[in-house]
Structures are given as C-alpha cells and as structure tokens.
Amino acid sequence: MDSQTKQDKQVIDIKARLSANKVVHSGESDDESLWIIEAKQGSQTAFYQLYEKYHRRIYALCWRMLADKDSAEDVCQEVFVVLWQKINNFRGESKFSTWLYSVATNVVLGHLRKHKNWLQRVFSIEEQGANVAEPHVGLTDDSMLTMLDQHIACLPERARLVFVLFAVEGYRHEEIAAMLKMAVGSSKSQYHRAKSLLKESLIANGFVSIEEEINHE
Amino acid sequence: MSKDIPQEAVTSKSAGLAKVVSDKSLAVLVEKLPNEMIPERDLWPGIERAIGQKSQESQVGQQRNTFVPGAWAASIALVVLLSWFTFSPDIKDNSGAALVNAQGDSGITQGQLVNFMQQSFKQQKQTLLASYGQPTTDKLPVAMQQELKQLADARASIKKALLTDENNVDLLNLLDFTQQQELKLLQQLYRQYQVI
C-alpha cells in the first residue's frame, strides 16, 4: 500500500469515526474537527484548511495589538508556525478558536517583549505611538481600516493592548493583568485611559456620535 | 464579542458646538469592528516553508536521539581502545592489527576504525619525522621517493575500498600492513641515507 492510499484510508477511517462517535469538539464543525485531527497527524493540507479559516481573524488581532501592518503579517505567520508545533497540545477542552486566540495573543505579546528597545526596557518607557494632542499625526493612511481601528492604532502601547484585549477580544481584566504582567487595577485604569484617549481623538477628528446626531435633530 | 462599556462621555467645544462621544457610541463602534482583516501579502508560502523545515528538524532530532546512545557507546569504546593502544607497550609495534582484532568485540563501526587507524598512522609518522628534525623527502633517491608514493597510493586505495566494502577484515589488515610498511621504510631510509 503506497503512502497516498494509506493516508486516504486514514482520512476515511477518521470520517467514519467522527460520524459514528460524534467526536466533535464543542462548537466546531465536523470538517474543522477532521482538519484538527489530520493536522495533528502531520497533514499540511488539513493545516492549510485551518489557516484558510482563521488567518484573517488572527491577522486582525495581530494588527490591532501591534498597530503595524508589516509586523502584523510577520507575527501572523509566526502564530501559525507555533500552532503547527503546538497543535497536539489542543485537547478539545475549549473551542479551537478560543485556544487559537490564546496562542496568538501569547505570540504577539512575546513579539512585543522581544522587540522592546533597550530604552524601554531600562526606563520602562511605553508611551510610543501615542499622539493624542495631534491625533492626525499618528494616524495610518490605510483606507481599508475602519475609523476606530485607525484611532486604536494611535493609542499608547499598554492602553492599546488592554483596550483590544478587553473591549474587542472579550478577555477579563484578571486575564489581561496576568498576560501583561500588571496589576488588575492597572489593567482597568489603562482601559479607562484608552477610552478617554479614543473619545478625545474621535472628537478631534470630527466624529459625530449617534447622540449628537439625535440632539441635532 | 465586546464588553459593555459604562456610560461616560467626553465633551469638546468645537466651533461653538458641544460634541459628545459617549461610552455607548464607542461601544457601537467597537461592535462594528470587523472580525477579519486581509493581509496584503500571501502569508501561506512562508508558513509552509517554516513548518516544512520544522518537520525536517524534528525528524533529524528523532534520528539523532536514536543515534546518540550508539554514538556514545562507540566513542567510549574508541577511547578505551585508544588508551589501551597508547599506554600498552606490548602492542605498540602492532597497534593496527590489535585494533583490527579488537574491532569485533568493541562494537565500533569499520568507518570509525579506519578513521582512527588513519589518525594514528598520521600521528606516528609525524612523531617519527619530528624525531628526525622534520626532514623532507625531496633529497631521497627518486626510486625511494617513488616507493613511498606507491605505498601512499596503496593506502589511499585501500581506504577507498574500505568505504564501500563493510566488514572486510582482510582489507583492514592490509591497510594496517601498508601503514606499518610506510613507517618502517621511512625509518630505514633515515638510517641509511641520513639525508631526509
């Protein structure tokens, strides 16, 4: 039996097992469960299917956390390389997407730690990229981004990370504090700071809120 | 996806008009954020290359893991043989033959033994030449130079043959014999001619 036939037989076996035993991880489609099993067995084809399904979401997470297109692309690639190495650690206790996002978040944070310059390390400086006084200066020209994404990109790093993780990704402050190695109170205060900065920035850039429109009417 | 944002508002007076961005407006904007973004470049080729490399590395790693105990055992056997060869006066004159005989018991491969014999021969030759003040063979009669060259060529041919012919004890003995002959010839030449 050649290797291709053997692989095909394995896939058929897995499909049969899935339909017979309903071995489907919570919240995942049959296809996705099959891709996960096959990827665990070393199938790059199955892994590509997982990449195809998730890479845009992971890229969005990377972009929002890093606020830089090139870094986001590089780190998104790194996430999938790490996923390939760690996929056997996925036991199906949570949704695959939830597990994948936590892997991605850790890779992004690891990247940020690695690329912190020596000045930031020595003096704990983190306020780079923030330009609230002149919001237009730091804004990216990427027209594909929503207005809010462009403003999030201009937030200081810590405030941006907390805002993205809490408001966009839905992590709790306790989880964020553990991930970013900060106190829970600091996570909360960074979140409030991010909100204030975003509001100021939105106003400075002519954002008209729903309430304002209603008031005008 | 997003959390409830508590009601707060930031106001700003701009051109006489009070502008307000409440938490609710911000929450609405957050809700509208797209779940997905499309990277500009195709990320898959890079990932495919990287995971291909990682797979190869892990295969090599596994091979290494199985090879390591064997390599350790062979190295230890080699060190024991080397020590025996170096410190035992009885076998100094017939070291290669002793190694050849000992090969079967030690479990080291023929390739390792050939390399060891070559190194041992080089060391002995170097020691011999050093003891004669690092002479050159240029001053020897042409016939002697040719004989030395023939021995060196024969040594190289036997080594080449040993690479393709595993477990050939006769060839190993022949290599050892050739090496010893070369050493003896060098010794005799020095004594006879005192020129090299």
Side-chain angles (χ1 to χ4, degrees), chain A residues 64 73-74 167 199 209 211, chain B residues 2 20 22-23 25 34 40-41:
Chain A
R64 288 190 181 115
E73 287 177 345
D74 291 345
K199 287 172 184 176
S209 72
E211 290 89 344
Chain B
S2 64
V20 181
S22 67
D23 281 353
S25 313
E40 256 180 33
R41 63 184 163 97

Side-chain angles (χ1 to χ4, degrees), chain B residues 52-177:
Chain B
Q53 275 176 359
K54 299 272 178 196
S55 301
Q56 277 180 351
E57 278 168 19
S58 66
Q59 277 173 4
V60 171
Q62 281 170 356
Q63 281 172 357
R64 258 185 216 150
N65 287 343
T66 55
F67 178 69
V68 163
W72 271 105
S75 304
I76 291 166
L78 207 61
V79 168
V80 170
L81 276 171
L82 182 62
S83 312
W84 185 37
F85 161 73
T86 310
F87 298 112
S88 171
D90 299 339
I91 60 161
K92 261 189 178 168
D93 292 339
N94 200 16
S95 54
L99 279 171
V100 170
N101 293 334
Q103 188 211 355
D105 304 324
S106 65
I108 58 173
T109 63
Q110 182 174 283
Q112 286 172 312
L113 186 61
V114 169
N115 282 335
F116 172 71
M117 285 168 75
Q118 284 284 100
Q119 281 175 5
S120 170
F121 165 71
K122 275 182 193 167
Q123 274 178 357
Q124 287 183 64
K125 189 176 170 183
Q126 194 56 41
T127 312
L128 186 72
L129 293 174
S131 69
Y132 299 150
Q134 294 291 1
T136 60
T137 52
D138 297 345
K139 291 175 187 170
L140 280 173
V142 178
M144 294 299 116
Q145 284 187 37
Q146 274 180 348
E147 200 168 336
L148 278 172
K149 191 178 176 302
Q150 278 171 358
L151 278 169
D153 289 345
R155 197 162 32 83
S157 303
I158 296 165
K159 194 188 170 192
K160 202 175 170 185
L162 276 166
L163 291 175
T164 53
D165 193 357
E166 286 282 331
N167 302 320
N168 192 331
V169 181
D170 291 338
L171 270 179
L172 275 171
N173 280 320
L174 191 61
L175 177 66
D176 178 52
F177 173 78

Side-chain angles (χ1 to χ4, degrees), chain A residues 48-64:
Chain A
Y48 176 75
Q49 300 296 335
L50 291 171
Y51 162 81
E52 213 21 60
K53 181 170 180 181
Y54 287 107
H55 82 275
R56 291 173 206 86
R57 279 192 243 178
I58 297 300
Y59 176 69
L61 171 71
C62 294
W63 197 97
R64 288 190 181 115

Side-chain angles (χ1 to χ4, degrees), chain A residues 102-134:
Chain A
S102 71
V103 169
T105 307
N106 285 329
V107 173
V108 176
L109 293 176
H111 173 88
L112 284 169
R113 273 183 219 116
K114 253 190 287 180
H115 290 82
K116 232 179 179 184
N117 67 38
W118 67 272
L119 257 177
Q120 287 172 301
R121 282 173 202 273
V122 174
F123 299 106
S124 301
I125 300 167
E126 59 103 2
E127 306 303 320
Q128 286 196 347
N131 213 334
V132 184
E134 293 176 81

Side-chain angles (χ1 to χ4, degrees), chain A residues 48 51 56-57 59 64 69 73-74 77 84-85 146 149 166-168 170 191 195 199 203 209 211, chain B residues 1-3 5 8 10 12 20-23 25 30 33-37 40-41 43-44 51 54:
Chain A
Y48 176 75
Y51 162 81
R56 291 173 206 86
R57 279 192 243 178
Y59 176 69
R64 288 190 181 115
K69 181 180 77 67
E73 287 177 345
D74 291 345
Q77 284 183 315
W84 173 257
Q85 291 171 307
T146 64
D149 270 326
F166 183 81
V168 184
Y191 173 65
K195 273 200 308 180
K199 287 172 184 176
I203 289 168
S209 72
E211 290 89 344
Chain B
M1 183 168 151
S2 64
K3 301 268 174 178
I5 300 174
E8 276 173 24
V10 170
S12 170
V20 181
V21 177
S22 67
D23 281 353
S25 313
V30 170
L33 282 175
N35 283 333
E36 298 187 344
M37 287 184 191
E40 256 180 33
R41 63 184 163 97
L43 305 180
W44 177 250
I51 63 179
K54 299 272 178 196

